[in-house]
Amino acid sequence: MHWTTDRSTPSVGRVAVTTRTRSPIRSNVGLKAVMAVTGIMLVLFLIAHMLGNLKVFAGDASFNGYAHWLREIGTPVLPDVWFLWIMRVGLLVAVLGHIWAATVLALRARAARPVRYAHRKKVQGSYAARTMRWGGVIILLFVIYHILDLTTGTLNPVGDPSRPYANVVADFAPERWYVTLFYTLAIVALGFHLRHGVFSAVRSLGQQTPRGEQRARAVALVFAVVLCVGYLVVPFAVLTGLVS
């Protein structure tokens, strides 16, 4: 921070002007870039995680083998499980960065419109856009529960890291229908979140004509539906006895 004297205006006396340099990453453009990069990281993880979950349909041995392989990625360069922890830390940073950028942008948008006009027309937004906040809270709570359930095994009936297939089957057993219900609610919230996020991303790439927006909405909807179905098929397969 430094003080300068304004000599360019015919004002009386000396005028003190405060100048502050804001970090580019804290600008609106920088925050949107943070949201985009972290969003891409999280979407790629969601796709990979969904494909891994679907291996449960290949049977006990195949799913357990896949889970054990994840723990051995990078060996012998990295010790066992190090890759998973590196990935977890990276995902945590991405989640926190995504939440931080979204929160700051939302607060700035609200501060820019401090006065509500009584006769101003209501802006028509999509249902996904209007529910991004509570959807994000549900997703965050689910992630915490999911880690305690299937990662650490603390809340899982089996909780044996050497038997991941048994953990999944026990988790979504019919008598634990409330877990499947919470899982479904979280995945649906994730679907709305993804639908809005993917639409915004595609639209930002230049699809801002009426036809382009229709395409962006279609791409976002298809992607969100496919991902939701890919995640929900596993708990409902266990719930109905297709996987046991």
mmCIF file of all heavy atoms in Angstrom, residues 32-80:
data_model
loop_
_atom_site.group_PDB
_atom_site.id
_atom_site.type_symbol
_atom_site.label_atom_id
_atom_site.label_comp_id
_atom_site.label_asym_id
_atom_site.label_seq_id
_atom_site.Cartn_x
_atom_site.Cartn_y
_atom_site.Cartn_z
ATOM 1 N N LYS A 32 -13.180 -17.761 -11.100
ATOM 2 C CA LYS A 32 -13.886 -18.625 -12.049
ATOM 3 C C LYS A 32 -12.944 -19.670 -12.637
ATOM 4 O O LYS A 32 -13.346 -20.808 -12.903
ATOM 5 C CB LYS A 32 -14.511 -17.782 -13.155
ATOM 6 C CG LYS A 32 -15.698 -16.957 -12.676
ATOM 7 C CD LYS A 32 -16.290 -16.107 -13.784
ATOM 8 C CE LYS A 32 -17.472 -15.287 -13.267
ATOM 9 N NZ LYS A 32 -18.053 -14.425 -14.328
ATOM 10 N N ALA A 33 -11.681 -19.275 -12.833
ATOM 11 C CA ALA A 33 -10.690 -20.237 -13.326
ATOM 12 C C ALA A 33 -10.440 -21.329 -12.289
ATOM 13 O O ALA A 33 -10.309 -22.508 -12.632
ATOM 14 C CB ALA A 33 -9.386 -19.519 -13.660
ATOM 15 N N VAL A 34 -10.379 -20.931 -11.003
ATOM 16 C CA VAL A 34 -10.210 -21.917 -9.927
ATOM 17 C C VAL A 34 -11.382 -22.885 -9.923
ATOM 18 O O VAL A 34 -11.210 -24.108 -9.806
ATOM 19 C CB VAL A 34 -10.101 -21.207 -8.557
ATOM 20 C CG1 VAL A 34 -10.171 -22.224 -7.425
ATOM 21 C CG2 VAL A 34 -8.798 -20.435 -8.470
ATOM 22 N N MET A 35 -12.603 -22.357 -10.063
ATOM 23 C CA MET A 35 -13.781 -23.221 -10.097
ATOM 24 C C MET A 35 -13.730 -24.174 -11.278
ATOM 25 O O MET A 35 -14.091 -25.348 -11.164
ATOM 26 C CB MET A 35 -15.052 -22.372 -10.163
ATOM 27 C CG MET A 35 -15.431 -21.711 -8.863
ATOM 28 S SD MET A 35 -17.148 -21.173 -8.838
ATOM 29 C CE MET A 35 -17.983 -22.761 -8.825
ATOM 30 N N ALA A 36 -13.276 -23.675 -12.434
ATOM 31 C CA ALA A 36 -13.221 -24.514 -13.625
ATOM 32 C C ALA A 36 -12.201 -25.639 -13.473
ATOM 33 O O ALA A 36 -12.497 -26.811 -13.745
ATOM 34 C CB ALA A 36 -12.888 -23.664 -14.842
ATOM 35 N N VAL A 37 -10.994 -25.297 -13.010
ATOM 36 C CA VAL A 37 -9.924 -26.296 -12.883
ATOM 37 C C VAL A 37 -10.289 -27.335 -11.827
ATOM 38 O O VAL A 37 -10.165 -28.547 -12.062
ATOM 39 C CB VAL A 37 -8.590 -25.611 -12.535
ATOM 40 C CG1 VAL A 37 -7.528 -26.663 -12.211
ATOM 41 C CG2 VAL A 37 -8.129 -24.740 -13.689
ATOM 42 N N THR A 38 -10.730 -26.875 -10.667
ATOM 43 C CA THR A 38 -11.104 -27.821 -9.613
ATOM 44 C C THR A 38 -12.318 -28.644 -10.023
ATOM 45 O O THR A 38 -12.413 -29.830 -9.693
ATOM 46 C CB THR A 38 -11.400 -27.083 -8.299
ATOM 47 O OG1 THR A 38 -12.413 -26.078 -8.523
ATOM 48 C CG2 THR A 38 -10.154 -26.413 -7.758
ATOM 49 N N GLY A 39 -13.238 -28.034 -10.749
ATOM 50 C CA GLY A 39 -14.408 -28.776 -11.234
ATOM 51 C C GLY A 39 -14.016 -29.886 -12.181
ATOM 52 O O GLY A 39 -14.547 -31.006 -12.093
ATOM 53 N N ILE A 40 -13.088 -29.604 -13.083
ATOM 54 C CA ILE A 40 -12.609 -30.631 -14.024
ATOM 55 C C ILE A 40 -11.946 -31.779 -13.264
ATOM 56 O O ILE A 40 -12.172 -32.964 -13.560
ATOM 57 C CB ILE A 40 -11.641 -30.012 -15.043
ATOM 58 C CG1 ILE A 40 -12.396 -29.070 -15.992
ATOM 59 C CG2 ILE A 40 -10.918 -31.107 -15.841
ATOM 60 C CD1 ILE A 40 -11.501 -28.268 -16.894
ATOM 61 N N MET A 41 -11.124 -31.434 -12.279
ATOM 62 C CA MET A 41 -10.458 -32.468 -11.474
ATOM 63 C C MET A 41 -11.486 -33.372 -10.793
ATOM 64 O O MET A 41 -11.355 -34.609 -10.803
ATOM 65 C CB MET A 41 -9.558 -31.811 -10.417
ATOM 66 C CG MET A 41 -8.340 -31.113 -10.965
ATOM 67 S SD MET A 41 -7.458 -30.178 -9.681
ATOM 68 C CE MET A 41 -7.016 -31.505 -8.541
ATOM 69 N N LEU A 42 -12.511 -32.773 -10.215
ATOM 70 C CA LEU A 42 -13.523 -33.543 -9.496
ATOM 71 C C LEU A 42 -14.364 -34.389 -10.440
ATOM 72 O O LEU A 42 -14.728 -35.527 -10.120
ATOM 73 C CB LEU A 42 -14.411 -32.601 -8.687
ATOM 74 C CG LEU A 42 -13.699 -31.853 -7.549
ATOM 75 C CD1 LEU A 42 -14.609 -30.807 -6.924
ATOM 76 C CD2 LEU A 42 -13.198 -32.830 -6.490
ATOM 77 N N VAL A 43 -14.680 -33.847 -11.620
ATOM 78 C CA VAL A 43 -15.475 -34.610 -12.600
ATOM 79 C C VAL A 43 -14.687 -35.822 -13.088
ATOM 80 O O VAL A 43 -15.239 -36.928 -13.216
ATOM 81 C CB VAL A 43 -15.889 -33.715 -13.773
ATOM 82 C CG1 VAL A 43 -16.408 -34.556 -14.939
ATOM 83 C CG2 VAL A 43 -16.977 -32.737 -13.325
ATOM 84 N N LEU A 44 -13.398 -35.640 -13.361
ATOM 85 C CA LEU A 44 -12.573 -36.772 -13.803
ATOM 86 C C LEU A 44 -12.516 -37.856 -12.730
ATOM 87 O O LEU A 44 -12.584 -39.055 -13.031
ATOM 88 C CB LEU A 44 -11.162 -36.289 -14.147
ATOM 89 C CG LEU A 44 -11.040 -35.405 -15.394
ATOM 90 C CD1 LEU A 44 -9.602 -34.925 -15.563
ATOM 91 C CD2 LEU A 44 -11.499 -36.160 -16.637
ATOM 92 N N PHE A 45 -12.413 -37.427 -11.474
ATOM 93 C CA PHE A 45 -12.418 -38.408 -10.383
ATOM 94 C C PHE A 45 -13.758 -39.130 -10.311
ATOM 95 O O PHE A 45 -13.802 -40.351 -10.115
ATOM 96 C CB PHE A 45 -12.136 -37.716 -9.051
ATOM 97 C CG PHE A 45 -12.432 -38.592 -7.865
ATOM 98 C CD1 PHE A 45 -11.559 -39.606 -7.505
ATOM 99 C CD2 PHE A 45 -13.594 -38.408 -7.116
ATOM 100 C CE1 PHE A 45 -11.840 -40.433 -6.418
ATOM 101 C CE2 PHE A 45 -13.874 -39.227 -6.033
ATOM 102 C CZ PHE A 45 -12.999 -40.238 -5.684
ATOM 103 N N LEU A 46 -14.856 -38.400 -10.462
ATOM 104 C CA LEU A 46 -16.187 -39.015 -10.394
ATOM 105 C C LEU A 46 -16.363 -40.067 -11.482
ATOM 106 O O LEU A 46 -16.936 -41.134 -11.239
ATOM 107 C CB LEU A 46 -17.262 -37.941 -10.521
ATOM 108 C CG LEU A 46 -17.458 -37.033 -9.299
ATOM 109 C CD1 LEU A 46 -18.394 -35.889 -9.635
ATOM 110 C CD2 LEU A 46 -17.983 -37.832 -8.107
ATOM 111 N N ILE A 47 -15.869 -39.770 -12.670
ATOM 112 C CA ILE A 47 -15.980 -40.735 -13.774
ATOM 113 C C ILE A 47 -15.175 -41.994 -13.451
ATOM 114 O O ILE A 47 -15.663 -43.122 -13.598
ATOM 115 C CB ILE A 47 -15.509 -40.104 -15.091
ATOM 116 C CG1 ILE A 47 -16.456 -38.970 -15.502
ATOM 117 C CG2 ILE A 47 -15.436 -41.158 -16.198
ATOM 118 C CD1 ILE A 47 -15.969 -38.174 -16.693
ATOM 119 N N ALA A 48 -13.916 -41.806 -13.024
ATOM 120 C CA ALA A 48 -13.057 -42.951 -12.713
ATOM 121 C C ALA A 48 -13.631 -43.761 -11.553
ATOM 122 O O ALA A 48 -13.628 -45.004 -11.580
ATOM 123 C CB ALA A 48 -11.648 -42.458 -12.371
ATOM 124 N N HIS A 49 -14.150 -43.073 -10.540
ATOM 125 C CA HIS A 49 -14.711 -43.758 -9.376
ATOM 126 C C HIS A 49 -15.969 -44.551 -9.750
ATOM 127 O O HIS A 49 -16.175 -45.668 -9.268
ATOM 128 C CB HIS A 49 -15.040 -42.725 -8.297
ATOM 129 C CG HIS A 49 -15.375 -43.319 -6.973
ATOM 130 N ND1 HIS A 49 -14.617 -44.306 -6.377
ATOM 131 C CD2 HIS A 49 -16.401 -43.083 -6.103
ATOM 132 C CE1 HIS A 49 -15.140 -44.644 -5.215
ATOM 133 N NE2 HIS A 49 -16.235 -43.921 -5.028
ATOM 134 N N MET A 50 -16.780 -43.980 -10.620
ATOM 135 C CA MET A 50 -17.986 -44.682 -11.068
ATOM 136 C C MET A 50 -17.626 -45.960 -11.821
ATOM 137 O O MET A 50 -18.209 -47.028 -11.574
ATOM 138 C CB MET A 50 -18.815 -43.773 -11.974
ATOM 139 C CG MET A 50 -20.080 -44.430 -12.529
ATOM 140 S SD MET A 50 -20.799 -43.488 -13.893
ATOM 141 C CE MET A 50 -19.594 -43.798 -15.191
ATOM 142 N N LEU A 51 -16.646 -45.868 -12.734
ATOM 143 C CA LEU A 51 -16.233 -47.044 -13.495
ATOM 144 C C LEU A 51 -15.672 -48.118 -12.571
ATOM 145 O O LEU A 51 -15.905 -49.316 -12.771
ATOM 146 C CB LEU A 51 -15.196 -46.644 -14.547
ATOM 147 C CG LEU A 51 -15.697 -45.705 -15.658
ATOM 148 C CD1 LEU A 51 -14.557 -45.299 -16.573
ATOM 149 C CD2 LEU A 51 -16.812 -46.373 -16.460
ATOM 150 N N GLY A 52 -14.949 -47.699 -11.546
ATOM 151 C CA GLY A 52 -14.427 -48.665 -10.581
ATOM 152 C C GLY A 52 -15.537 -49.329 -9.792
ATOM 153 O O GLY A 52 -15.508 -50.538 -9.554
ATOM 154 N N ASN A 53 -16.548 -48.539 -9.399
ATOM 155 C CA ASN A 53 -17.679 -49.106 -8.656
ATOM 156 C C ASN A 53 -18.413 -50.176 -9.453
ATOM 157 O O ASN A 53 -18.891 -51.170 -8.898
ATOM 158 C CB ASN A 53 -18.672 -48.002 -8.282
ATOM 159 C CG ASN A 53 -18.156 -47.109 -7.171
ATOM 160 O OD1 ASN A 53 -17.139 -47.396 -6.539
ATOM 161 N ND2 ASN A 53 -18.847 -46.015 -6.927
ATOM 162 N N LEU A 54 -18.507 -49.984 -10.776
ATOM 163 C CA LEU A 54 -19.249 -50.921 -11.615
ATOM 164 C C LEU A 54 -18.592 -52.290 -11.680
ATOM 165 O O LEU A 54 -19.223 -53.262 -12.107
ATOM 166 C CB LEU A 54 -19.421 -50.337 -13.020
ATOM 167 C CG LEU A 54 -20.308 -49.088 -13.099
ATOM 168 C CD1 LEU A 54 -20.341 -48.543 -14.526
ATOM 169 C CD2 LEU A 54 -21.728 -49.396 -12.618
ATOM 170 N N LYS A 55 -17.335 -52.385 -11.242
ATOM 171 C CA LYS A 55 -16.661 -53.680 -11.218
ATOM 172 C C LYS A 55 -17.289 -54.630 -10.205
ATOM 173 O O LYS A 55 -16.990 -55.816 -10.194
ATOM 174 C CB LYS A 55 -15.167 -53.488 -10.908
ATOM 175 C CG LYS A 55 -14.365 -52.935 -12.081
ATOM 176 C CD LYS A 55 -12.891 -52.885 -11.743
ATOM 177 C CE LYS A 55 -12.077 -52.455 -12.946
ATOM 178 N NZ LYS A 55 -12.075 -53.494 -14.002
ATOM 179 N N VAL A 56 -18.163 -54.104 -9.349
ATOM 180 C CA VAL A 56 -18.834 -54.962 -8.374
ATOM 181 C C VAL A 56 -19.680 -56.009 -9.088
ATOM 182 O O VAL A 56 -19.915 -57.110 -8.545
ATOM 183 C CB VAL A 56 -19.700 -54.113 -7.416
ATOM 184 C CG1 VAL A 56 -20.961 -53.625 -8.089
ATOM 185 C CG2 VAL A 56 -20.022 -54.873 -6.139
ATOM 186 N N PHE A 57 -20.127 -55.711 -10.306
ATOM 187 C CA PHE A 57 -20.943 -56.669 -11.057
ATOM 188 C C PHE A 57 -20.104 -57.818 -11.617
ATOM 189 O O PHE A 57 -20.669 -58.817 -12.067
ATOM 190 C CB PHE A 57 -21.669 -55.961 -12.202
ATOM 191 C CG PHE A 57 -22.735 -55.011 -11.731
ATOM 192 C CD1 PHE A 57 -22.494 -53.638 -11.711
ATOM 193 C CD2 PHE A 57 -23.960 -55.475 -11.303
ATOM 194 C CE1 PHE A 57 -23.463 -52.757 -11.275
ATOM 195 C CE2 PHE A 57 -24.934 -54.600 -10.862
ATOM 196 C CZ PHE A 57 -24.691 -53.231 -10.839
ATOM 197 N N ALA A 58 -18.784 -57.674 -11.589
ATOM 198 C CA ALA A 58 -17.903 -58.746 -12.051
ATOM 199 C C ALA A 58 -17.650 -59.789 -10.971
ATOM 200 O O ALA A 58 -17.027 -60.815 -11.238
ATOM 201 C CB ALA A 58 -16.588 -58.171 -12.552
ATOM 202 N N GLY A 59 -18.112 -59.511 -9.753
ATOM 203 C CA GLY A 59 -17.975 -60.499 -8.690
ATOM 204 C C GLY A 59 -16.992 -60.107 -7.606
ATOM 205 O O GLY A 59 -16.258 -59.108 -7.719
ATOM 206 N N ASP A 60 -16.991 -60.910 -6.575
ATOM 207 C CA ASP A 60 -16.175 -60.668 -5.387
ATOM 208 C C ASP A 60 -14.691 -60.551 -5.727
ATOM 209 O O ASP A 60 -14.025 -59.575 -5.367
ATOM 210 C CB ASP A 60 -16.410 -61.810 -4.398
ATOM 211 C CG ASP A 60 -15.814 -61.527 -3.029
ATOM 212 O OD1 ASP A 60 -14.823 -60.798 -2.953
ATOM 213 O OD2 ASP A 60 -16.356 -62.034 -2.031
ATOM 214 N N ALA A 61 -14.151 -61.554 -6.414
ATOM 215 C CA ALA A 61 -12.707 -61.596 -6.677
ATOM 216 C C ALA A 61 -12.263 -60.418 -7.533
ATOM 217 O O ALA A 61 -11.227 -59.793 -7.274
ATOM 218 C CB ALA A 61 -12.345 -62.913 -7.351
ATOM 219 N N SER A 62 -13.036 -60.098 -8.568
ATOM 220 C CA SER A 62 -12.674 -59.010 -9.461
ATOM 221 C C SER A 62 -12.694 -57.658 -8.745
ATOM 222 O O SER A 62 -11.771 -56.850 -8.889
ATOM 223 C CB SER A 62 -13.627 -58.980 -10.660
ATOM 224 O OG SER A 62 -13.298 -57.916 -11.528
ATOM 225 N N PHE A 63 -13.733 -57.418 -7.960
ATOM 226 C CA PHE A 63 -13.846 -56.130 -7.269
ATOM 227 C C PHE A 63 -12.756 -55.989 -6.209
ATOM 228 O O PHE A 63 -12.134 -54.924 -6.077
ATOM 229 C CB PHE A 63 -15.227 -56.008 -6.618
ATOM 230 C CG PHE A 63 -15.504 -54.645 -6.047
ATOM 231 C CD1 PHE A 63 -15.822 -53.581 -6.880
ATOM 232 C CD2 PHE A 63 -15.459 -54.430 -4.682
ATOM 233 C CE1 PHE A 63 -16.073 -52.319 -6.356
ATOM 234 C CE2 PHE A 63 -15.715 -53.179 -4.147
ATOM 235 C CZ PHE A 63 -16.026 -52.119 -4.990
ATOM 236 N N ASN A 64 -12.517 -57.061 -5.443
ATOM 237 C CA ASN A 64 -11.466 -57.014 -4.427
ATOM 238 C C ASN A 64 -10.097 -56.828 -5.069
ATOM 239 O O ASN A 64 -9.246 -56.094 -4.545
ATOM 240 C CB ASN A 64 -11.469 -58.293 -3.594
ATOM 241 C CG ASN A 64 -12.640 -58.339 -2.631
ATOM 242 O OD1 ASN A 64 -13.293 -57.341 -2.371
ATOM 243 N ND2 ASN A 64 -12.928 -59.527 -2.107
ATOM 244 N N GLY A 65 -9.880 -57.490 -6.207
ATOM 245 C CA GLY A 65 -8.612 -57.329 -6.917
ATOM 246 C C GLY A 65 -8.399 -55.901 -7.378
ATOM 247 O O GLY A 65 -7.285 -55.360 -7.291
ATOM 248 N N TYR A 66 -9.468 -55.279 -7.864
ATOM 249 C CA TYR A 66 -9.385 -53.884 -8.292
ATOM 250 C C TYR A 66 -9.057 -52.977 -7.107
ATOM 251 O O TYR A 66 -8.208 -52.081 -7.207
ATOM 252 C CB TYR A 66 -10.706 -53.459 -8.931
ATOM 253 C CG TYR A 66 -10.875 -51.973 -9.084
ATOM 254 C CD1 TYR A 66 -10.139 -51.255 -10.035
ATOM 255 C CD2 TYR A 66 -11.765 -51.267 -8.267
ATOM 256 C CE1 TYR A 66 -10.286 -49.882 -10.160
ATOM 257 C CE2 TYR A 66 -11.916 -49.900 -8.399
ATOM 258 C CZ TYR A 66 -11.183 -49.217 -9.340
ATOM 259 O OH TYR A 66 -11.334 -47.860 -9.463
ATOM 260 N N ALA A 67 -9.725 -53.209 -5.978
ATOM 261 C CA ALA A 67 -9.495 -52.378 -4.790
ATOM 262 C C ALA A 67 -8.058 -52.524 -4.286
ATOM 263 O O ALA A 67 -7.422 -51.537 -3.900
ATOM 264 C CB ALA A 67 -10.486 -52.764 -3.691
ATOM 265 N N HIS A 68 -7.539 -53.744 -4.313
ATOM 266 C CA HIS A 68 -6.158 -53.962 -3.871
ATOM 267 C C HIS A 68 -5.166 -53.356 -4.863
ATOM 268 O O HIS A 68 -4.116 -52.846 -4.464
ATOM 269 C CB HIS A 68 -5.888 -55.453 -3.689
ATOM 270 C CG HIS A 68 -6.674 -56.067 -2.570
ATOM 271 N ND1 HIS A 68 -6.840 -55.457 -1.345
ATOM 272 C CD2 HIS A 68 -7.350 -57.247 -2.488
ATOM 273 C CE1 HIS A 68 -7.572 -56.227 -0.564
ATOM 274 N NE2 HIS A 68 -7.907 -57.323 -1.238
ATOM 275 N N TRP A 69 -5.500 -53.379 -6.138
ATOM 276 C CA TRP A 69 -4.631 -52.764 -7.151
ATOM 277 C C TRP A 69 -4.498 -51.267 -6.917
ATOM 278 O O TRP A 69 -3.410 -50.697 -7.090
ATOM 279 C CB TRP A 69 -5.212 -53.032 -8.544
ATOM 280 C CG TRP A 69 -4.516 -52.272 -9.628
ATOM 281 C CD1 TRP A 69 -3.293 -52.521 -10.170
ATOM 282 C CD2 TRP A 69 -5.021 -51.103 -10.301
ATOM 283 N NE1 TRP A 69 -2.992 -51.596 -11.143
ATOM 284 C CE2 TRP A 69 -4.033 -50.717 -11.238
ATOM 285 C CE3 TRP A 69 -6.198 -50.365 -10.201
ATOM 286 C CZ2 TRP A 69 -4.202 -49.604 -12.073
ATOM 287 C CZ3 TRP A 69 -6.365 -49.264 -11.022
ATOM 288 C CH2 TRP A 69 -5.380 -48.886 -11.953
ATOM 289 N N LEU A 70 -5.583 -50.608 -6.510
ATOM 290 C CA LEU A 70 -5.530 -49.175 -6.229
ATOM 291 C C LEU A 70 -4.522 -48.868 -5.121
ATOM 292 O O LEU A 70 -3.844 -47.830 -5.155
ATOM 293 C CB LEU A 70 -6.910 -48.665 -5.812
ATOM 294 C CG LEU A 70 -7.981 -48.565 -6.892
ATOM 295 C CD1 LEU A 70 -9.303 -48.123 -6.277
ATOM 296 C CD2 LEU A 70 -7.560 -47.599 -7.987
ATOM 297 N N ARG A 71 -4.415 -49.776 -4.162
ATOM 298 C CA ARG A 71 -3.495 -49.556 -3.047
ATOM 299 C C ARG A 71 -2.043 -49.748 -3.464
ATOM 300 O O ARG A 71 -1.132 -49.307 -2.757
ATOM 301 C CB ARG A 71 -3.828 -50.520 -1.905
ATOM 302 C CG ARG A 71 -5.237 -50.369 -1.371
ATOM 303 C CD ARG A 71 -5.593 -51.502 -0.411
ATOM 304 N NE ARG A 71 -4.801 -51.457 0.785
ATOM 305 C CZ ARG A 71 -5.122 -50.769 1.885
ATOM 306 N NH1 ARG A 71 -6.240 -50.070 1.912
ATOM 307 N NH2 ARG A 71 -4.338 -50.772 2.947
ATOM 308 N N GLU A 72 -1.817 -50.421 -4.608
ATOM 309 C CA GLU A 72 -0.450 -50.740 -5.029
ATOM 310 C C GLU A 72 0.041 -49.871 -6.181
ATOM 311 O O GLU A 72 1.170 -50.048 -6.645
ATOM 312 C CB GLU A 72 -0.378 -52.209 -5.450
ATOM 313 C CG GLU A 72 -0.690 -53.180 -4.316
ATOM 314 C CD GLU A 72 -0.796 -54.612 -4.807
ATOM 315 O OE1 GLU A 72 -0.719 -54.812 -6.049
ATOM 316 O OE2 GLU A 72 -0.966 -55.524 -3.976
ATOM 317 N N ILE A 73 -0.783 -48.925 -6.638
ATOM 318 C CA ILE A 73 -0.366 -48.059 -7.742
ATOM 319 C C ILE A 73 0.880 -47.274 -7.330
ATOM 320 O O ILE A 73 0.944 -46.687 -6.252
ATOM 321 C CB ILE A 73 -1.492 -47.082 -8.127
ATOM 322 C CG1 ILE A 73 -2.681 -47.843 -8.699
ATOM 323 C CG2 ILE A 73 -0.995 -46.070 -9.150
ATOM 324 C CD1 ILE A 73 -3.852 -46.957 -9.065
ATOM 325 N N GLY A 74 1.864 -47.259 -8.203
ATOM 326 C CA GLY A 74 3.092 -46.504 -7.944
ATOM 327 C C GLY A 74 4.209 -47.296 -7.326
ATOM 328 O O GLY A 74 5.350 -46.808 -7.261
ATOM 329 N N THR A 75 3.917 -48.511 -6.846
ATOM 330 C CA THR A 75 4.982 -49.336 -6.276
ATOM 331 C C THR A 75 5.845 -49.883 -7.415
ATOM 332 O O THR A 75 5.342 -50.144 -8.509
ATOM 333 C CB THR A 75 4.387 -50.512 -5.476
ATOM 334 O OG1 THR A 75 3.516 -51.258 -6.319
ATOM 335 C CG2 THR A 75 3.622 -50.022 -4.281
ATOM 336 N N PRO A 76 7.142 -50.065 -7.205
ATOM 337 C CA PRO A 76 7.894 -49.863 -5.949
ATOM 338 C C PRO A 76 8.417 -48.436 -5.768
ATOM 339 O O PRO A 76 9.114 -48.161 -4.794
ATOM 340 C CB PRO A 76 9.052 -50.838 -6.104
ATOM 341 C CG PRO A 76 9.327 -50.824 -7.580
ATOM 342 C CD PRO A 76 7.983 -50.677 -8.255
ATOM 343 N N VAL A 77 8.105 -47.521 -6.707
ATOM 344 C CA VAL A 77 8.571 -46.141 -6.545
ATOM 345 C C VAL A 77 7.954 -45.519 -5.299
ATOM 346 O O VAL A 77 8.629 -44.823 -4.529
ATOM 347 C CB VAL A 77 8.213 -45.307 -7.795
ATOM 348 C CG1 VAL A 77 8.644 -43.855 -7.603
ATOM 349 C CG2 VAL A 77 8.867 -45.903 -9.034
ATOM 350 N N LEU A 78 6.656 -45.782 -5.105
ATOM 351 C CA LEU A 78 5.955 -45.280 -3.924
ATOM 352 C C LEU A 78 5.606 -46.444 -3.009
ATOM 353 O O LEU A 78 5.292 -47.532 -3.483
ATOM 354 C CB LEU A 78 4.666 -44.560 -4.338
ATOM 355 C CG LEU A 78 4.802 -43.294 -5.182
ATOM 356 C CD1 LEU A 78 3.418 -42.810 -5.609
ATOM 357 C CD2 LEU A 78 5.538 -42.205 -4.416
ATOM 358 N N PRO A 79 5.645 -46.238 -1.714
ATOM 359 C CA PRO A 79 5.186 -47.285 -0.786
ATOM 360 C C PRO A 79 3.697 -47.548 -0.990
ATOM 361 O O PRO A 79 2.975 -46.742 -1.583
ATOM 362 C CB PRO A 79 5.469 -46.680 0.600
ATOM 363 C CG PRO A 79 6.506 -45.628 0.360
ATOM 364 C CD PRO A 79 6.219 -45.085 -1.005
ATOM 365 N N ASP A 80 3.233 -48.678 -0.491
ATOM 366 C CA ASP A 80 1.814 -49.026 -0.598
ATOM 367 C C ASP A 80 0.927 -47.911 -0.054
ATOM 368 O O ASP A 80 1.248 -47.287 0.964
ATOM 369 C CB ASP A 80 1.521 -50.321 0.170
ATOM 370 C CG ASP A 80 2.023 -51.551 -0.586
ATOM 371 O OD1 ASP A 80 2.457 -51.390 -1.737
ATOM 372 O OD2 ASP A 80 1.982 -52.652 -0.013
#
